[in-house]
Amino acid sequence: MSNYPHPLIAREGWPFIAAAFLIALLVNIYAGFLWAIFFWLMAVFVLQFFRDPPREVPSVPNAVLSPADGRIVAVEKVHDPYLKRDAVKISVFMNVFNVHSNRSPVDGNVRNKWYFPGKFINADLPKASLENERNALWIKADDGSDVTCVQVAGLIAKRIICNALPGDHLLRGQRFGFIRFGSRVDVYLPLDTKINVNIGDKVHATTTVLAELRK
């Protein structure tokens, strides 16, 4: 997988940002500023949605980093439907004001990738994990642990972008995808993982340590 560098603004958003500001400018020119206020506000909203700031990677050994900005909506023991095992699932819900670039939670090799078409119900609901459109990555962490990272579409999210492919080696905090607009990311971890977050906690991609894998 090629490195996916884009300073401050995600490349996935460049066409949308350009279109939004062009529309606002044209309305401003031909109809006046008062008529264009709504379009300028929408253009600023689109710009902030696609922001993608650099993040510092914590040096905590065996850390599982948050793959997304948002709020923890689930920490529970479940059946991992992708690797067919019992696991601990941590779910991060992203609203439209969060950064939506997704980053690898661990250092490891991508062993497999699955895409499932589905519904677009509110991603804050538990059933969204299995009913909504989603893209799952099986990452074999460098310490041998199995981690499943799942991008889940939301109520108005219509596009999941995943640039990682089987065989790629991801580094913790490395950008691997993006979801438009409002969604969640589920992480399935081994049962003996030390969990560092609780439901309701606000987290930030890369900088928040969700959990620590047992050595």
Side-chain angles (χ1 to χ4, degrees), residues 129-142:
S129 290
L130 298 177
E131 294 187 16
N132 278 17
E133 178 182 3
R134 58 204 181 277
N135 185 87
L137 292 179
W138 169 20
I139 304 173
K140 175 68 80 171
D142 286 350

Side-chain angles (χ1 to χ4, degrees), residues 78-144:
V78 298
H79 180 72
D80 178 350
Y82 308 98
L83 297 188
K84 312 300 182 186
R85 57 168 178 164
D86 291 329
V88 177
K89 182 180 77 172
I90 302 177
S91 298
V92 180
F93 173 73
M94 296 175 279
N95 64 39
V96 294
F97 297 105
N98 292 130
V99 173
H100 273 61
S101 66
N102 301 142
R103 306 174 187 229
S104 178
V106 294
D107 297 325
N109 291 314
V110 178
R111 288 291 183 87
N112 211 340
K113 174 180 178 178
W114 302 272
Y115 169 77
F116 302 89
K119 301 177 182 178
F120 296 97
I121 60 177
N122 188 349
D124 200 8
L125 299 175
K127 62 182 180 180
S129 290
L130 298 177
E131 294 187 16
N132 278 17
E133 178 182 3
R134 58 204 181 277
N135 185 87
L137 292 179
W138 169 20
I139 304 173
K140 175 68 80 171
D142 286 350
D143 73 345

Side-chain angles (χ1 to χ4, degrees), residues 122-202:
N122 188 349
D124 200 8
L125 299 175
K127 62 182 180 180
S129 290
L130 298 177
E131 294 187 16
N132 278 17
E133 178 182 3
R134 58 204 181 277
N135 185 87
L137 292 179
W138 169 20
I139 304 173
K140 175 68 80 171
D142 286 350
D143 73 345
S145 300
D146 290 308
V147 176
T148 315
C149 186
V150 188
Q151 298 167 286
V152 183
L155 184 64
I156 56 175
K158 302 298 183 184
R159 184 77 170 93
I160 294 176
I161 299 169
C162 180
N163 299 299
L165 296 171
D168 290 340
H169 185 271
L170 298 178
L171 300 175
R172 288 187 299 169
Q174 181 178 345
R175 297 173 178 90
F176 71 85
F178 202 93
I179 313 178
R180 304 193 305 254
F181 290 84
S183 42
R184 72 190 277 165
V185 179
D186 296 331
V187 181
Y188 295 84
L189 302 168
L191 288 175
D192 63 351
T193 301
K194 178 187 175 185
I195 306 301
N196 293 344
V197 293
N198 296 295
I199 293 175
D201 289 352
K202 291 183 178 180

